[in-house]
Amino acid sequence: MSKILVINGSSRENGNTEMFTSLILKDVPHQSIHLRHHTIIPIVDKRHSPEGFTPVEDDYDHIIQSVLAHDILVFATPLYWYGMSGHMKLFVDRWSQSLRDPRFDFKKEMSKKKGFVIICGGDNPSIKALPLVQQFRYIFDFVGMEWMGYVIGKGNSPGEIMQDQNAMAQAKHWNQYLQSL
Amino acid sequence: MSKILVINGSSRENGNTEMFTSLILKDVPHQSIHLRHHTIIPIVDKRHSPEGFTPVEDDYDHIIQSVLAHDILVFATPLYWYGMSGHMKLFVDRWSQSLRDPRFDFKKEMSKKKGFVIICGGDNPSIKALPLVQQFRYIFDFVGMEWMGYVIGKGNSPGEIMQDQNAMAQAKHWNQYLQSL
Amino acid sequence: MSKILVINGSSRENGNTEMFTSLILKDVPHQSIHLRHHTIIPIVDKRHSPEGFTPVEDDYDHIIQSVLAHDILVFATPLYWYGMSGHMKLFVDRWSQSLRDPRFDFKKEMSKKKGFVIICGGDNPSIKALPLVQQFRYIFDFVGMEWMGYVIGKGNSPGEIMQDQNAMAQAKHWNQYLQSL
Amino acid sequence: MSKILVINGSSRENGNTEMFTSLILKDVPHQSIHLRHHTIIPIVDKRHSPEGFTPVEDDYDHIIQSVLAHDILVFATPLYWYGMSGHMKLFVDRWSQSLRDPRFDFKKEMSKKKGFVIICGGDNPSIKALPLVQQFRYIFDFVGMEWMGYVIGKGNSPGEIMQDQNAMAQAKHWNQYLQSL
């Protein structure tokens, strides 16, 4: 059975993104990481320094170890300013460091995984989240991760996502699919 | 004369983005902020909390005051994982807080400004930076900021940007334009 | 009750796009136009000629009169080379002529309508149809037509669309929605 | 020396797209095809018919033979309704037929070529032509053609392109580059 990890980028508890994600993962065994509960500091780009990256004392390594131990990664992020949340971006930026990590071959490990993207936004997300979908696709392609798909939900005020009938239909579909894996 | 502020999102000193930005701003009076020299913590979304946003003890307020005091904003960011850098995203995410700031009408103030975007990336940026360009456009539109344009340069290893002749031609054009303001 | 017109851009009978469209419009009263049954010649751009556009002897006028007589327009097109079909493009290009047509105020008439987009493609359409979705959005915005949404289905060989469970879930949702209007 | 073919999709003589293209190709040996001077009928999709595609009596074959005889293809199109012109789309759609043409291996032949894209539009093209740029990229990738780059110019009324200083700077750069080949 595939081991699923949900990486949640919301800055708010019980927001629309989390609600949407819960529906999609209902009765599907999985683990969750809420990035807002962890500290990840911005990457310092040392790709071109002779000494390379220096170890960073924060929660990133713990999270990336969990990522490596799972088969399916679900990236769940609110649409903040038409992109992934800062929490999520800080996390992804640090992959540059993992690419140089001598303990594992990051690209090779990631290329064995599948990824799914959940986005929830308030301002016309079915159009204005498309650049973010394209960005995630480039990210997946870079590390060779298989693209499972994405869903975009509309929700601004708390709970509003439940009114997005198109999102609900897709959540149900993906939930059935994930249960069948 | 227009007052110009460059907001630099690089995590590395003297990288391609900064080199590119220097060419574009050569002999153009301006101020610069390097986000990596400042601490901006991830936003905690309290848009829907009755108490609203709580003051945050970091460098954001200082930076946003500087933003408000300028007429033209230049957003200069490396393309990290096909998006703006985490440093830049943390900064922009906090605009949600400024939207609720009682000291000023953030949207109204921003709508008086013009913005320009500089992106520098290593992996086929003339295509793979386009989602980021579209994201910036949505950001500008949301706050009503006038879109001056954008340039995309290619550079990975230090100084490589100088080999991108198309980027150099555009840098020269924009430099002349900015000098003429 | 809203009067619905389906404008089908397929070049092939009973292809995936038509099958997909049938599911979405099942039991919903509507009229259909199959552009392949009509002749529309490429526009000759005379926007800047003193004499203006000259009448064209083809089926365009008949079709645009039908468009004007409906409230909801459904644009159904296969994804040909990552864009709308040539049939569909020939049709839309001629709107430039309608914009100058003295018999009606084209923009004003179109701004009273709503539009929906159905796309069916074989090569990773959930990603590679996104530029076409964005293009349709710009088209709708230009004439002020309300954006109802879009669905993207995957199908290459005949009937393959029926295997796209995510598309089927969305088709069912939109069918219920259109029935409720 | 590389043999260059310009495929022009304008419907109007001496329009901005042609003017822009002339600047970019100045003093560069090349041949030109103006699609508006040729008849290309919409493709009839017979990919899934047992008898396959039937020969079509129009100018397509003549043009594709010319395409096959060149090394660099320049696609020059006005931005009509945020996409390539109908003339250009009719042409590209027919590539599906060439893919089944027994006289040559179309993909293999195209994969030896390089392509460049010139777009000229009136309504904010530096943003609203980006979906078309992405579409061209997918087209090039599908047939394995090397992506040389693209330029986007702004022009609506006749000659207006000459006022787009950023486009002029890029035209000059690309002209020098093409002369150096």
Side-chain angles (χ1 to χ4, degrees):
Chain A
M1 203 174 73
S2 292
K3 293 167 69 186
I4 300 176
L5 178 67
V6 176
I7 303 161
N8 197 303
S10 301
S11 80
R12 181 157 59 97
E13 208 169 345
N14 296 322
N16 284 301
T17 305
E18 287 191 19
M19 226 175 267
F20 195 26
T21 304
S22 295
L23 288 171
I24 293 167
L25 272 299
K26 192 166 181 291
D27 298 328
V28 177
H30 68 279
Q31 287 204 305
S32 287
I33 287 176
H34 295 273
L35 293 172
R36 70 176 175 278
H37 296 158
H38 300 272
T39 299
I40 299 179
I41 65 170
I43 193 164
V44 180
D45 181 2
K46 295 210 169 169
R47 287 173 299 152
H48 309 293
S49 302
E51 76 273 17
F53 285 95
T54 39
V56 180
E57 295 293 330
D58 63 6
D59 301 333
Y60 176 75
D61 194 61
H62 172 74
I63 297 171
I64 209 67
Q65 293 293 351
S66 182
V67 163
L68 293 173
H70 286 81
D71 307 308
I72 292 179
L73 306 177
V74 177
F75 296 83
T77 181
L79 191 68
Y80 282 172
W81 295 93
Y82 313 105
M84 64 179 78
S85 71
H87 280 297
M88 185 73 89
K89 192 65 190 358
L90 288 177
F91 169 63
V92 173
D93 276 6
R94 290 283 290 283
W95 291 12
S96 297
Q97 191 160 355
S98 292
L99 285 169
R100 310 286 170 118
D101 197 315
R103 294 173 299 168
F104 42 74
D105 182 335
F106 187 66
K107 258 195 181 180
K108 190 176 167 192
E109 292 304 315
M110 293 301 273
S111 73
K112 299 174 190 165
K113 303 184 193 306
K114 300 178 182 186
F116 185 73
V117 174
I118 298 172
I119 303 170
C120 200
D123 177 19
N124 210 342
S126 73
I127 289 295
K128 295 186 179 174
L130 298 186
L132 178 55
V133 169
Q134 294 173 313
Q135 181 188 355
F136 268 115
R137 178 64 193 231
Y138 287 140
I139 292 171
F140 282 32
D141 281 353
F142 185 84
V143 295
M145 196 167 21
E146 186 181 324
W147 179 259
M148 296 175 72
Y150 61 92
V151 285
I152 300 171
K154 182 175 187 341
N156 202 355
S157 52
E160 195 184 335
I161 181 72
M162 310 302 281
Q163 312 304 321
D164 180 344
Q165 296 305 320
N166 188 34
M168 291 300 106
Q170 291 185 70
K172 195 176 161 190
H173 157 70
W174 285 106
N175 179 251
Q176 287 170 352
Y177 175 74
L178 290 170
Q179 287 197 37
S180 75
L181 292 182
Chain B
M1 201 175 71
S2 293
K3 293 167 68 186
I4 299 176
L5 178 67
V6 177
I7 303 161
N8 197 303
S10 301
S11 79
R12 182 158 58 96
E13 207 168 345
N14 296 322
N16 284 301
T17 305
E18 288 191 16
M19 226 176 268
F20 195 26
T21 304
S22 295
L23 288 171
I24 293 167
L25 273 297
K26 192 166 182 290
D27 298 328
V28 177
H30 68 279
Q31 287 204 304
S32 288
I33 287 176
H34 295 272
L35 293 173
R36 69 174 177 280
H37 296 158
H38 300 273
T39 300
I40 299 179
I41 66 170
I43 193 164
V44 180
D45 180 2
K46 297 210 168 169
R47 286 174 299 153
H48 309 293
S49 301
E51 76 274 17
F53 285 94
T54 40
V56 180
E57 293 294 330
D58 63 5
D59 301 333
Y60 176 74
D61 194 61
H62 173 74
I63 297 171
I64 209 67
Q65 294 293 352
S66 181
V67 163
L68 292 173
H70 286 81
D71 306 308
I72 292 179
L73 305 177
V74 177
F75 296 83
T77 181
L79 190 69
Y80 282 172
W81 294 94
Y82 312 107
M84 65 179 78
S85 71
H87 279 296
M88 185 72 88
K89 192 67 193 353
L90 288 177
F91 169 63
V92 173
D93 277 6
R94 289 283 290 283
W95 290 11
S96 296
Q97 191 160 354
S98 293
L99 285 169
R100 310 285 169 116
D101 196 315
R103 294 173 297 168
F104 42 74
D105 181 335
F106 187 65
K107 259 195 181 180
K108 191 177 165 192
E109 291 304 315
M110 293 301 273
S111 72
K112 299 174 191 164
K113 302 183 193 308
K114 300 178 183 188
F116 186 73
V117 174
I118 299 172
I119 303 170
C120 200
D123 177 18
N124 210 341
S126 73
I127 288 294
K128 295 187 179 175
L130 298 186
L132 178 55
V133 170
Q134 294 172 314
Q135 180 187 354
F136 267 116
R137 178 65 194 229
Y138 287 140
I139 292 171
F140 282 31
D141 281 353
F142 185 84
V143 296
M145 197 169 19
E146 187 181 324
W147 179 259
M148 295 174 72
Y150 62 92
V151 284
I152 299 172
K154 183 176 187 336
N156 202 355
S157 52
E160 195 183 335
I161 181 71
M162 310 302 280
Q163 312 304 319
D164 180 345
Q165 295 305 320
N166 188 35
M168 291 301 106
Q170 292 184 69
K172 195 175 160 189
H173 157 70
W174 284 106
N175 178 251
Q176 287 169 351
Y177 175 74
L178 290 170
Q179 288 196 38
S180 75
L181 292 183
Chain C
M1 203 174 71
S2 292
K3 293 168 68 187
I4 300 176
L5 179 67
V6 176
I7 303 161
N8 197 302
S10 300
S11 79
R12 182 156 58 95
E13 207 170 344
N14 295 323
N16 284 302
T17 305
E18 287 191 19
M19 226 176 268
F20 194 26
T21 304
S22 295
L23 288 171
I24 293 167
L25 273 299
K26 194 166 181 289
D27 298 328
V28 177
H30 68 279
Q31 286 205 305
S32 288
I33 287 176
H34 295 273
L35 293 173
R36 70 175 176 278
H37 296 158
H38 301 272
T39 299
I40 299 179
I41 65 170
I43 194 163
V44 180
D45 181 1
K46 296 210 169 168
R47 287 174 298 153
H48 309 292
S49 301
E51 76 275 17
F53 286 94
T54 39
V56 180
E57 294 293 329
D58 64 5
D59 301 334
Y60 176 75
D61 194 61
H62 173 74
I63 297 171
I64 209 67
Q65 293 293 352
S66 183
V67 162
L68 293 173
H70 287 81
D71 307 307
I72 293 179
L73 306 177
V74 177
F75 296 83
T77 181
L79 190 69
Y80 282 172
W81 294 93
Y82 313 106
M84 66 179 77
S85 72
H87 280 296
M88 185 72 89
K89 191 65 191 357
L90 288 178
F91 169 64
V92 173
D93 277 6
R94 289 282 290 283
W95 291 12
S96 297
Q97 191 161 354
S98 292
L99 285 169
R100 309 286 169 117
D101 197 315
R103 293 173 299 167
F104 43 74
D105 182 335
F106 187 66
K107 258 195 181 179
K108 190 177 166 191
E109 292 304 316
M110 293 302 273
S111 73
K112 300 173 190 165
K113 303 183 193 307
K114 300 178 183 187
F116 186 73
V117 174
I118 299 172
I119 303 170
C120 200
D123 177 19
N124 211 341
S126 73
I127 288 295
K128 295 187 179 174
L130 298 185
L132 178 54
V133 169
Q134 294 172 314
Q135 180 187 354
F136 267 115
R137 178 64 193 229
Y138 287 140
I139 292 171
F140 282 31
D141 282 353
F142 184 84
V143 295
M145 196 168 19
E146 186 181 325
W147 179 258
M148 296 175 72
Y150 61 92
V151 285
I152 301 171
K154 184 177 186 336
N156 201 356
S157 52
E160 196 183 336
I161 181 73
M162 310 302 280
Q163 312 304 320
D164 180 344
Q165 296 304 320
N166 188 34
M168 292 300 106
Q170 291 184 70
K172 195 176 160 188
H173 158 69
W174 285 105
N175 179 251
Q176 287 171 351
Y177 175 74
L178 290 170
Q179 288 196 38
S180 75
L181 291 182
Chain D
M1 202 175 74
S2 293
K3 293 167 67 186
I4 299 176
L5 178 67
V6 177
I7 303 161
N8 197 303
S10 301
S11 79
R12 182 157 58 96
E13 208 169 346
N14 295 323
N16 284 301
T17 306
E18 287 191 17
M19 225 176 268
F20 195 26
T21 304
S22 295
L23 288 171
I24 293 167
L25 274 297
K26 192 165 182 291
D27 298 328
V28 177
H30 68 279
Q31 286 205 306
S32 288
I33 287 176
H34 295 273
L35 293 173
R36 69 175 176 278
H37 295 158
H38 300 273
T39 301
I40 299 179
I41 66 171
I43 193 164
V44 180
D45 180 4
K46 297 210 169 169
R47 286 173 300 152
H48 309 293
S49 302
E51 76 275 16
F53 285 95
T54 39
V56 180
E57 294 294 329
D58 63 5
D59 301 334
Y60 176 74
D61 194 61
H62 173 74
I63 297 171
I64 209 68
Q65 293 293 352
S66 182
V67 162
L68 293 173
H70 287 81
D71 306 308
I72 292 179
L73 305 177
V74 177
F75 296 83
T77 181
L79 190 70
Y80 282 173
W81 294 94
Y82 312 106
M84 65 178 78
S85 71
H87 280 296
M88 185 72 90
K89 192 64 189 359
L90 288 177
F91 169 64
V92 173
D93 277 6
R94 289 284 289 284
W95 291 12
S96 296
Q97 191 160 353
S98 293
L99 285 169
R100 310 284 170 117
D101 197 314
R103 294 173 297 168
F104 42 74
D105 182 335
F106 186 66
K107 258 195 181 182
K108 191 176 166 192
E109 291 304 315
M110 294 301 274
S111 73
K112 299 173 190 164
K113 303 185 193 307
K114 301 178 183 185
F116 185 72
V117 174
I118 299 172
I119 302 170
C120 200
D123 177 18
N124 209 342
S126 73
I127 288 295
K128 295 187 179 175
L130 298 186
L132 178 55
V133 170
Q134 293 172 315
Q135 180 187 355
F136 267 116
R137 178 64 193 229
Y138 287 140
I139 292 171
F140 282 30
D141 281 354
F142 185 84
V143 296
M145 197 169 18
E146 187 181 323
W147 179 260
M148 295 174 73
Y150 61 92
V151 284
I152 299 171
K154 183 174 187 339
N156 201 356
S157 53
E160 194 184 337
I161 181 72
M162 311 301 281
Q163 313 304 320
D164 180 345
Q165 296 305 320
N166 188 34
M168 290 302 106
Q170 291 185 69
K172 194 176 161 190
H173 157 70
W174 285 105
N175 178 251
Q176 287 169 350
Y177 175 75
L178 290 170
Q179 287 197 38
S180 74
L181 292 184

